[in-house]
Amino acid sequence: MAEDEQERNGQAQGQSPGGPVTSDAERADDDPRNISDQSEEHSAQARGAEVELSPEERREQVTSAAPEGGEIQDVPDAPGAESERDAAAAQGRGDDTGARESRVSVVDESPPRPDPPDGESDDEYKWHTYKVYPSGRPDAVEFIDTYKSFGRSHILRGLNMGLPEGMVSMILGPSGTGKSVCIKHMVGLLYPDRGDILVHGESVPNMADDDLFDMRKKFGLLFQDGALFGSMDLYDNVAFPLRQHTEKGEDEIEDIVMRRLNEVGLGHSRTKMPNELSGGMRKRAGFARALVLEPDIVLFDEPDSGLDPVRTALLGELILEIHRDMMDEAKEKQREHLPTFCVITHDIMSARRVADYINVLWKGRIVEAGPAEDMLNSENPFIRQFLSGESQGPLTMD
């Protein structure tokens, strides 16, 4: 027993049974797997040594490397050859995995800043960043590099602007910057000197007359003062577009007219003449008339002009309410286009209460445009001055 214990101790210390004691260092030197003290050439050979595989093992390795039956090719002894081969194989398979792994997140660069209009310096348009925050919706109306002059007065000077579909958009800007001129271009009452205007993707200046007349039925328009016919009572004023552009009978016309008059709170005033109505009532009557043809786009040309602050606020609430009702109706009936409202104004409180999307127009071009929240928090000095009504800033009396 004592001899067996001694023999086991000797083996634990590296001594083979019946042989001399071998140290760890000596064993490491004799181990062929240890290449720490071998020459560089021998080490390279050891690292590049091939392992002999049986035919069965070779087939198994090929199957695991190319499970779909693809061909395995030897990699040339050239730097980058393996990655080039892998990329070519991925391209041949239509596989974009490699591209996804190597792709770097890139932020789209802003388009180059446009040149100022002819005869103007860059300093005149230094506050125009031309930044457009996305609305997430297609444009119902789009101005593309639009120019318009009246004699020596240059109004639109390379205007690029969109009105997103299904939103209440506002065009804000100082007086005389071409806001109302934009409306006349949308409905084809004016044509641009250069550029284009698209309504639901169709070019207005290039429309034939018959197509233009049909296109105008997509619009409802509320003029600054209501623009009621003085010789007609309220009911006949609102019924006028239906009698002019449709073949509806009087019973159906009456249903439509009274529905719209009740929506704007004038159902009890159907027999009154325009000179018997207050300014706010004339505005609401014009609004009702703009809605009777169920337009896709409703334009408001300074609807708050001449109204006191309370009635301005009430009109803004009415605009929002009618838009919500029209949106619900359009979705229920699955119409091709959602209702789009465009309000021309320079009233800041109306913009804060009503607007979903804001275009700020100055000197015939858009300074910035985007959802109301982005615009009301803009860092642009001109935008901040105009939306806060401050006297100090880029906008002066000149």
Side-chain angles (χ1 to χ4, degrees):
M1 294 295 293
E3 292 178 357
D4 293 340
E5 183 70 23
Q6 182 178 5
E7 183 177 352
R8 284 194 297 270
N9 292 338
Q11 292 177 2
Q13 296 173 2
Q15 180 179 356
S16 60
V21 177
T22 305
S23 66
D24 293 340
E26 291 173 340
R27 288 199 310 275
D29 290 339
D30 294 337
D31 192 345
R33 294 171 298 178
N34 185 5
I35 61 174
S36 59
D37 293 331
Q38 297 176 5
S39 66
E40 181 177 355
E41 179 181 359
H42 185 75
S43 300
Q45 294 174 356
R47 288 193 298 269
E50 296 184 357
V51 178
E52 290 294 333
L53 299 176
S54 66
E56 293 77 8
E57 291 173 330
R58 177 61 178 170
R59 283 194 297 271
E60 181 179 356
Q61 186 184 62
V62 170
T63 303
S64 62
E68 298 179 358
E71 180 181 359
I72 296 181
Q73 300 178 355
D74 292 333
V75 180
D77 296 332
E82 184 173 0
S83 61
E84 292 177 2
R85 182 205 63 186
D86 292 343
Q91 183 177 2
R93 294 193 307 269
D95 186 4
D96 63 347
T97 303
R100 287 198 303 268
E101 292 176 352
S102 62
R103 183 176 297 155
V104 178
S105 178
V106 178
V107 178
D108 290 340
E109 296 183 359
S110 300
R113 182 180 177 84
D115 294 331
D118 295 339
E120 300 289 350
S121 64
D122 285 326
D123 192 59
E124 285 290 320
Y125 286 82
K126 64 181 179 181
W127 306 113
H128 289 65
T129 64
Y130 306 106
K131 185 183 296 183
V132 178
Y133 298 90
S135 66
R137 297 190 179 184
D139 289 331
V141 180
E142 185 178 5
F143 287 75
I144 302 174
D145 201 25
T146 305
Y147 288 79
K148 184 63 178 179
S149 299
F150 299 98
R152 296 182 179 180
S153 298
H154 305 294
I155 309 301
L156 304 182
R157 314 191 70 179
L159 175 63
N160 289 284
M161 179 180 70
L163 304 178
E165 185 173 306
M167 288 186 170
V168 179
S169 296
M170 281 200 168
I171 302 178
L172 299 177
S175 300
T177 56
K179 301 186 296 296
S180 296
V181 172
C182 290
I183 285 183
K184 296 178 181 179
H185 279 79
M186 294 181 204
V187 297
L189 293 177
L190 289 176
Y191 291 103
D193 299 331
R194 290 161 48 192
D196 202 359
I197 298 97
L198 305 181
V199 174
H200 292 146
E202 300 291 332
S203 174
V204 176
N206 295 321
M207 286 183 180
D209 288 344
D210 290 342
D211 295 333
L212 180 62
F213 296 150
D214 289 338
M215 184 276 297
R216 285 174 177 166
K217 296 177 184 178
K218 294 183 175 184
F219 286 89
L221 179 57
L222 172 58
F223 297 91
Q224 289 188 17
D225 59 354
L228 301 178
F229 297 108
S231 60
M232 298 181 184
D233 62 19
L234 182 56
Y235 177 90
D236 288 335
N237 266 283
V238 177
F240 183 83
L242 293 169
R243 292 168 175 164
Q244 186 75 16
H245 298 293
T246 71
E247 302 294 332
K248 298 181 184 296
E250 283 300 317
D251 291 340
E252 188 176 0
I253 289 176
E254 183 176 8
D255 290 340
I256 296 172
V257 171
M258 292 311 300
R259 174 193 168 195
R260 295 307 185 184
L261 285 176
N262 287 325
E263 283 179 342
V264 300
L266 292 176
H268 62 284
S269 303
R270 59 175 291 174
T271 60
K272 289 187 176 181
M273 301 298 287
N275 59 1
E276 299 178 283
L277 303 175
S278 66
M281 293 174 73
R282 286 196 296 271
K283 298 276 189 183
R284 286 182 283 151
F287 192 6
R289 185 176 61 185
L291 298 175
V292 292
L293 291 178
E294 297 185 345
D296 294 325
I297 304 168
V298 182
L299 307 176
F300 302 81
D301 190 6
E302 298 193 12
D304 44 36
S305 62
L307 297 182
D308 60 77
V310 174
R311 285 178 172 79
T312 297
L314 292 173
L315 180 61
E317 290 183 0
L318 180 61
I319 291 173
L320 287 178
E321 181 180 349
I322 297 296
H323 184 260
R324 283 193 297 266
D325 292 343
M326 292 179 67
M327 284 286 288
D328 293 340
E329 184 178 356
K331 292 177 181 178
E332 181 181 351
K333 295 182 178 180
Q334 297 183 344
R335 290 179 176 166
E336 182 179 1
H337 300 290
L338 295 176
T340 302
F341 283 14
C342 175
V343 182
I344 308 293
T345 186
H346 47 69
D347 183 75
I348 307 307
M349 292 306 298
S350 294
R352 293 180 179 273
R353 284 190 294 258
V354 176
D356 296 321
Y357 193 89
I358 295 177
N359 290 281
V360 179
L361 179 64
W362 188 33
K363 296 182 179 179
R365 289 186 174 185
I366 288 296
V367 180
E368 286 185 6
E373 182 178 356
D374 292 317
M375 297 303 296
L376 294 173
N377 294 308
S378 174
E379 296 297 325
N380 186 302
F382 175 82
I383 303 290
R384 292 172 60 184
Q385 179 196 8
F386 190 80
L387 295 183
S388 61
E390 297 175 356
S391 60
Q392 301 297 319
L395 182 62
T396 64
M397 293 293 290
D398 296 339

